[in-house]
Amino acid sequence: MDSEKQYKKRVVVKVGTNVMVNKDNRIVGPILKRLVDQIARLYEEDVITVLISSGSVIAGKEVLDTNNIENDTVRRQVYSAVGQPRMMRHYYSMFHDYGMRCAQVLATKRDFDPGKHRENMINCYEGLMSQGIVPIANEDDAVSLSMSMFTDNDELASLVAELINADMLILLTDTDGLYDGHPDHDDSSLITHVTTDQRVEQFVQSSTKKEGEGRGGMESKLNVAKKTAAKDITTFIANGKTPDIIMDIVHGKDVGTRIFQEDDE
C-alpha cells in the first residue's frame, strides 16, 4: 500500500441489515463479497471508501440463537458484542483476498460532539485512509446507552461523511430508492432526483421490521439524506443487492434516488 496516498474522491457507503441477509435472517456471504469487490475496484481508481456496516446483531444471533436474557437492551448488547468480531472476520478475509486491509472503528454519538473525542475520530479516519486501509464503522452497541445511541446507522453514516469531508454518501437498502407509491405496486415509479427543499415525505412507506433487523427505514434514510445533502454531500438511496450499484453511482449513472442541493445540479 502507498504511504500517505491521495485520493480523487472520498465515498461513505452504508449497508443495511436487510441488504446482507436472506429470508431466514442469516448473513449472505456472496453479497458481502460483491460489496468488498466494488470497494477494491474503486480503490484502484483512487477512490477511498469508508464502510458503515450493520449486521453485528444478526451475526450474534446466529451464534446465540437461544438465550435466557430477558432485558431487550442487554440482549442486543450481547448479540452485538458476539457478532461484531464475526462481521470483521468476514470483511478481513474478503479484503485480504484483494491485498487490502480494513480496520474496525466503533463509536457512540458522543464521540462526534465537538472536542477531543471528535478530534481523535478525525485523526483515526485520516490515518487509516492515508495508508489505504478501509475503515469499517458501526455503533458501539455494547456500551451505547439511550443518550449516546444513534437513531440508526443512517445517522452514523451521515456524521462520518461530514467528519471526513466526503464527496458522496451512499445509503444501501433492499429497494431501488424512493418510490411515489409502495415499491411492490406496479403503478409505482422510482423518484430518481430529490432536492433538499422538495416535499416528498408523503411518498415514504412505513414498514414493520422483524426483531433483530436494523432500526432504520425509508423515512430515516430520506431525513438523513436531506440533512447530508444540505452540507454539500450528495447522497444516494439505492438497492445494495443490485450488482455493481456502488460503481454505477460513483461513475455517474442514473440509478437509485439522488438527493442534492438544487444549486449543485
Side-chain angles (χ1 to χ4, degrees), residues 111-171:
D111 294 322
F112 290 89
D113 292 338
K116 204 66 177 177
H117 282 277
R118 182 180 178 86
E119 292 175 14
N120 287 338
M121 289 278 287
I122 293 173
N123 291 338
C124 177
Y125 277 105
E126 292 295 338
L128 290 170
M129 290 187 295
S130 73
Q131 300 303 306
I133 301 170
V134 178
I136 300 179
N138 196 5
E139 180 173 12
D140 195 353
D141 288 316
V143 299
S144 288
L145 301 174
S146 57
M147 291 181 64
S148 61
M149 288 179 65
F150 301 101
T151 305
D152 47 47
N153 269 353
D154 298 323
E155 183 183 21
L156 171 59
S158 176
L159 290 171
V160 171
E162 181 184 4
L163 188 80
I164 68 167
N165 295 313
D167 299 283
M168 184 182 299
L169 170 62
I170 302 173
L171 302 175

Side-chain angles (χ1 to χ4, degrees), residues 68-86:
N68 58 2
I69 301 174
E70 295 183 1
N71 184 284
D72 289 343
T73 300
V74 175
R75 185 167 61 248
R76 181 180 177 86
Q77 287 176 312
V78 170
Y79 282 148
S80 179
V82 172
Q84 197 66 250
R86 294 192 73 224

Side-chain angles (χ1 to χ4, degrees), residues 9-264:
K9 284 186 178 180
R10 293 181 172 192
V11 177
V12 174
V13 174
K14 181 262 180 175
V15 55
T17 302
N18 288 344
V19 173
M20 60 178 66
V21 300
N22 59 20
K23 62 181 180 180
D24 298 319
N25 251 10
R26 299 188 69 84
I27 303 293
V28 180
I31 290 179
L32 297 185
K33 179 71 173 178
R34 289 201 297 269
L35 181 71
V36 169
D37 176 74
Q38 292 176 80
I39 293 173
R41 285 154 60 196
L42 286 175
Y43 179 81
E44 293 301 317
E45 299 178 11
D46 292 334
V47 176
I48 188 70
T49 303
V50 174
L51 178 61
I52 314 296
S53 176
S54 302
S56 62
V57 173
I58 288 292
K61 289 186 71 174
E62 290 180 359
V63 177
L64 304 173
D65 194 29
T66 57
N67 66 77
N68 58 2
I69 301 174
E70 295 183 1
N71 184 284
D72 289 343
T73 300
V74 175
R75 185 167 61 248
R76 181 180 177 86
Q77 287 176 312
V78 170
Y79 282 148
S80 179
V82 172
Q84 197 66 250
R86 294 192 73 224
M87 291 299 299
M88 286 305 300
R89 184 177 65 187
H90 287 311
Y91 284 126
Y92 182 89
S93 175
M94 292 175 184
F95 276 111
H96 184 267
D97 290 342
Y98 289 90
M100 296 181 68
R101 296 169 292 179
C102 62
Q104 183 180 57
V105 183
L106 298 179
T108 67
K109 198 168 184 177
R110 290 177 299 186
D111 294 322
F112 290 89
D113 292 338
K116 204 66 177 177
H117 282 277
R118 182 180 178 86
E119 292 175 14
N120 287 338
M121 289 278 287
I122 293 173
N123 291 338
C124 177
Y125 277 105
E126 292 295 338
L128 290 170
M129 290 187 295
S130 73
Q131 300 303 306
I133 301 170
V134 178
I136 300 179
N138 196 5
E139 180 173 12
D140 195 353
D141 288 316
V143 299
S144 288
L145 301 174
S146 57
M147 291 181 64
S148 61
M149 288 179 65
F150 301 101
T151 305
D152 47 47
N153 269 353
D154 298 323
E155 183 183 21
L156 171 59
S158 176
L159 290 171
V160 171
E162 181 184 4
L163 188 80
I164 68 167
N165 295 313
D167 299 283
M168 184 182 299
L169 170 62
I170 302 173
L171 302 175
L172 296 180
T173 183
D174 57 353
T175 62
D176 290 339
L178 177 64
Y179 283 80
D180 60 7
H182 195 282
D184 294 336
H185 295 170
D186 292 337
D187 58 350
S188 297
S189 299
L190 180 68
I191 302 174
T192 57
H193 297 82
V194 175
T195 61
T196 51
D197 59 356
Q198 187 176 348
R199 301 294 298 173
V200 292
E201 283 73 14
Q202 69 270 25
F203 298 126
V204 174
Q205 299 294 319
S206 61
S207 61
T208 301
K209 289 183 176 294
K210 302 175 184 177
E211 181 183 0
E213 292 185 356
R215 301 195 298 271
M218 187 56 71
E219 182 177 4
S220 166
K221 286 173 179 55
L222 181 59
N223 182 49
V224 164
K226 282 192 169 186
K227 288 181 178 179
T228 310
K231 297 170 183 173
D232 290 325
I233 303 172
T234 301
T235 303
F236 293 82
I237 302 172
N239 195 329
K241 295 185 178 181
T242 301
D244 277 352
I245 187 65
I246 302 173
M247 302 293 294
D248 287 346
I249 290 173
V250 174
H251 290 159
K253 293 188 178 180
D254 196 10
V255 293
T257 298
R258 176 176 176 244
I259 301 92
F260 58 97
Q261 292 206 79
E262 193 162 12
D263 56 2
D264 291 340

